[in-house]
Amino acid sequence: MSVQSWVCEPCAIDKLPVGDGKPAIRLVDLEKTLDGKKVLDGVNLDIPPKRITAILGLSGAGKSVMLKHMIGLIRPERGQVLVDGVDISRLSRKELYHARQRFGMLFQGGALFDSLTVYENVAFPLQEKTKLGEGEIRERVLSRLAQVGLEEARGKYPDELSGGMKRRVAFARAMVTDPEIILFDEPTTGLDPIIRNSVLNLICHSYHQHGFTMVMVSHDIPDIFQWCHYVVVLHGGKVVEAGPTAEVVVSVNPFVQQLIRGDITGAVHLM
Amino acid sequence: MITFAETIGKRTLTAINRMGRMAIFLAGTIASLPFPPYQGRRIVKQVHFIGVRSLFVIVLTAMFTGMVLGLQGYHTLREVGSEGLLGSVVALSLIRELGPVLSALMVTGRAGSALTAEIGIMRIGEQIDSLESMGIDPVKFIVVPRLCAAILSVPLLTAIFDVVGILGGYLVGVKLLGVNAGVFFGGMEANVEWSDIANGFVKSVVFGLIIAWVCTFKGYFTGRGAEGVSQSTTSAVVLSSVMILVGDYFLTSVLL
Ligand SMILES: Nc1ncnc2c1ncn2[C@@H]1O[C@H](COP(=O)(O)OP(=O)(O)OP(=O)(O)O)[C@@H](O)[C@H]1O
Ligand SMILES: [Mg+2]
């Protein structure tokens, strides 16, 4: 298996000022209760446009739930989800489907269609949502599969793949339409170090090519700091820290420090 | 006493709520029918799954149903000396009642449960959310093809059930028990009306709708985890079967 890899500067290198660009996604006082538990309790957050933002937090903190709010899969009880100024939690179904065409989403579990092969999974968004011809689709899908080192597996079904392979297929599927806004729920969890680095390289490489807005949930601390411009820390249903990577890393917030260092004791005691 | 009343009230409200959601689900599905994209290829695939792959079990059950009708009918009719009516008894029972009902029950057991499980797994595996996130309407994509396929397949399977069942009755009545073949088919021709066939057809269309509706709904709104899917599958089969039998009574009383 060959994994294509680029020599790519980690993305934190180009710390361009965001300028006065309006936030790509803005969450205002977002509240959501699931199963009687307040998962989001007044989240306020600006996602900068054309930058990579990492969301950190404990397991169960509500990172996935927050990501699903951003694409309108979950509607909040209170608050707004503004994508380019439009509150997508108030859109009709039809408008929402239209708005989602700008998004690419990778689910935590991959969410591959298990009745379709690897190739068909990656081709699916192109076949359903674009007017590209079969030849063009084929070319594009195969090159994306090659990028994640899965060209050989194209005829296999998802349940014949390992966890890491599934995640890479899902990754290729989320990226295949070259979306403007990319929401990735743990794109690198469960990958071996080499594949993980090549996935991060690939994200970085595509970022430099297409300049998308990206929100990425990750547990890869501290490695992830090399690959993102902004960091958001979610805890207790609220955003406890958000800002450029370099600032968050030196945050004085005790929870943030504990999370970064992985201390067992500190602001939170789990056991 | 108050808690007892409370429980009943709560249960009733839940039940009404659930019926409402089912009705809205069906209405939404039907409302999306006239709009593109038309899922032609997916409908064909589902007709294969629901229809073609149910053929064997339909033929088998139809054959034995027809045979037992021939046997029972013969012995009952002989007591009153009217074996000649055997052909029409077999044909009418099959065309009016047994064909549509038994085919629908067999399809529920074979294909309906699989529909629920398949859609349920898509739900818990976030595949339905994944479709949503791509801006694709999952109802259009998952539910519509299955609904159309069931409405097409069940009447066809019912027709096959009727024919094979009559053949079964013929084999037992004529070949085994010695009723005259001309009398067997002559009586059938004289007594089976077009309206009988039309009624059977209407029933089978409605049953196809019930199967697809209940089974896709249960899968679409499945609970969490493997347990959620297994519960939905069971309750889909039970509810669909009950609705078929209850619906059969009301359809019969309206159509007769
Ligand atoms: N569909 C749902 N129904 C009910 N509760 C849910 C649902 N999805 C998530 N939750 C609850 O919301 C909370 C946050 O879940 P979420 O999946 O967002 O966590 P997370 O931060 O992504 O964790 P992880 O890092 O483990 O993925 C959890 O307590 C979870 O039990
Ligand atoms: Mg998560």
Side-chain angles (χ1 to χ4, degrees):
Chain A
M1 186 180 67
S2 72
V3 175
Q4 213 166 315
S5 177
W6 291 271
V7 183
C8 182
E9 298 286 306
C11 290
I13 297 293
D14 61 344
K15 269 207 236 64
L16 306 171
V18 187
D20 50 17
K22 293 200 187 69
I25 303 175
R26 164 171 272 178
L27 307 181
V28 186
D29 285 329
L30 212 57
E31 283 182 26
K32 183 71 188 178
T33 306
L34 285 169
D35 275 356
K37 179 175 176 258
K38 197 132 207 173
V39 179
L40 300 181
D41 187 9
V43 167
N44 284 289
L45 179 64
D46 281 356
I47 301 290
K50 306 219 179 290
R51 287 291 178 275
I52 300 180
T53 304
I55 298 183
L56 312 181
L58 297 178
S59 192
K63 303 181 294 296
S64 302
V65 169
M66 190 165 97
L67 219 55
K68 286 180 187 167
H69 275 89
M70 292 181 185
I71 194 170
L73 283 176
I74 303 183
R75 294 192 190 233
E77 276 124 35
R78 283 192 47 201
Q80 295 178 303
V81 182
L82 303 169
V83 177
D84 283 340
V86 179
D87 187 356
I88 64 164
S89 62
R90 303 265 184 286
L91 293 182
S92 70
R93 284 182 79 76
K94 213 174 152 202
E95 293 166 320
L96 190 57
Y97 285 141
H98 187 72
R100 282 178 182 150
Q101 312 223 351
R102 302 170 52 206
F103 284 85
M105 176 147 188
L106 171 78
F107 287 83
Q108 192 165 356
L112 297 175
F113 302 123
D114 40 33
S115 58
L116 303 181
T117 62
V118 166
Y119 175 88
E120 288 163 345
N121 260 287
V122 179
F124 185 82
L126 295 176
Q127 286 164 345
E128 294 297 321
K129 285 303 201 196
T130 67
K131 294 202 162 55
L132 296 178
E134 266 312 310
E136 233 171 315
I137 291 179
R138 189 176 170 76
E139 201 176 301
R140 199 140 142 195
V141 172
L142 291 181
S143 88
R144 297 306 167 100
L145 283 176
Q147 285 178 344
V148 292
L150 285 175
E151 229 178 350
E152 252 90 277
R154 64 175 175 268
K156 291 200 168 157
Y157 285 89
D159 54 5
E160 300 169 319
L161 304 178
S162 76
M165 289 160 94
K166 277 186 211 163
R167 196 163 283 269
R168 280 183 282 154
V169 176
F171 176 87
R173 186 178 70 180
M175 299 273 276
V176 76
T177 51
D178 290 327
E180 290 168 56
I181 303 174
I182 300 185
L183 307 178
F184 275 180
D185 202 344
E186 307 195 12
T188 57
T189 305
L191 302 181
D192 64 64
I194 299 174
I195 301 280
R196 187 183 63 196
N197 268 331
S198 68
V199 164
L200 286 167
N201 264 295
L202 185 57
I203 291 175
C204 187
H205 179 81
S206 329
Y207 172 75
H208 284 295
Q209 269 190 334
H210 302 291
F212 40 70
T213 303
M214 177 155 173
V215 184
M216 168 163 61
V217 174
S218 178
H219 286 299
D220 277 331
I221 306 168
D223 291 8
I224 195 69
F225 296 137
Q226 279 188 288
W227 302 96
C228 60
H229 304 102
Y230 289 86
V231 174
V232 173
V233 182
L234 200 63
H235 184 58
K238 291 191 166 64
V239 172
V240 293
E241 193 67 83
T245 308
E247 288 173 25
V248 173
V249 171
V250 298
S251 160
V252 292
N253 184 308
F255 173 72
V256 176
Q257 281 310 316
Q258 186 188 0
L259 186 71
I260 291 174
R261 288 200 302 270
D263 290 343
I264 298 173
T265 55
V268 289
H269 292 274
L270 292 181
M271 281 175 269
Chain B
M1 194 59 208
I2 287 179
T3 45
F4 179 66
E6 236 172 45
T7 319
I8 291 187
K10 238 178 226 163
R11 291 255 168 93
T12 315
L13 286 181
T14 321
I16 291 174
N17 185 339
R18 199 172 300 152
M19 284 193 277
R21 287 204 324 179
M22 274 186 73
I24 291 170
F25 181 76
L26 181 65
T29 309
I30 291 174
S32 78
L33 278 178
F35 303 102
Y38 305 108
Q39 306 283 348
R41 261 182 40 212
R42 294 204 171 81
I43 294 176
V44 172
K45 214 175 134 192
Q46 290 302 325
V47 167
H48 179 255
F49 178 73
I50 299 173
V52 180
R53 303 230 337 243
S54 301
L55 257 182
F56 177 73
V57 73
I58 289 289
V59 168
L60 192 71
T61 47
M63 182 56 94
F64 279 95
T65 307
M67 281 162 64
V68 84
L69 275 177
L71 205 55
Q72 289 278 18
Y74 178 80
H75 288 295
T76 313
L77 290 170
R78 203 180 51 173
E79 278 170 25
V80 290
S82 12
E83 299 100 300
L85 287 174
L86 185 63
S88 31
V89 165
V90 168
L92 284 176
S93 332
L94 281 167
I95 292 169
R96 284 187 185 164
E97 286 300 330
L98 294 175
V101 171
L102 289 180
S103 310
L105 291 178
M106 295 319 290
V107 171
T108 303
R110 205 212 61 83
S113 55
L115 285 189
T116 308
E118 190 190 4
I119 299 175
I121 287 169
M122 296 186 79
R123 167 63 76 192
I124 62 170
E126 293 185 320
Q127 293 173 42
I128 293 181
D129 284 343
S130 183
L131 283 171
E132 284 261 2
S133 78
M134 294 173 190
I136 296 168
D137 183 357
V139 166
K140 189 96 207 174
F141 195 80
I142 297 172
V143 181
V144 165
R146 287 164 172 83
L147 189 79
C148 294
I151 291 175
L152 286 173
S153 305
V154 175
L156 291 173
L157 289 171
T158 303
I160 293 168
F161 193 106
D162 292 348
V163 171
V164 175
I166 289 169
L167 179 71
Y170 165 82
L171 286 180
V172 169
V174 175
K175 295 286 171 193
L176 196 67
L177 301 172
V179 175
N180 181 286
V183 173
F184 185 87
F185 285 114
M188 199 182 294
E189 197 191 351
N191 289 316
V192 177
E193 309 272 339
W194 267 114
S195 66
D196 295 320
I197 295 173
N199 291 359
F201 176 76
V202 170
K203 280 184 181 178
S204 63
V205 171
V206 174
F207 295 161
L209 178 81
I210 289 176
I211 294 169
W213 175 28
V214 172
C215 294
T216 55
F217 175 83
K218 289 284 176 185
Y220 201 81
F221 294 103
T222 195
R224 258 171 284 161
E227 202 190 325
V229 176
S230 77
Q231 276 174 2
S232 312
T233 310
T234 311
S235 70
V237 171
V238 172
L239 183 61
S240 169
S241 308
V242 169
M243 280 177 70
I244 287 166
L245 293 171
V246 173
D248 184 46
Y249 174 79
F250 286 108
L251 278 174
T252 307
S253 60
V254 171
L255 292 171
L256 266 184

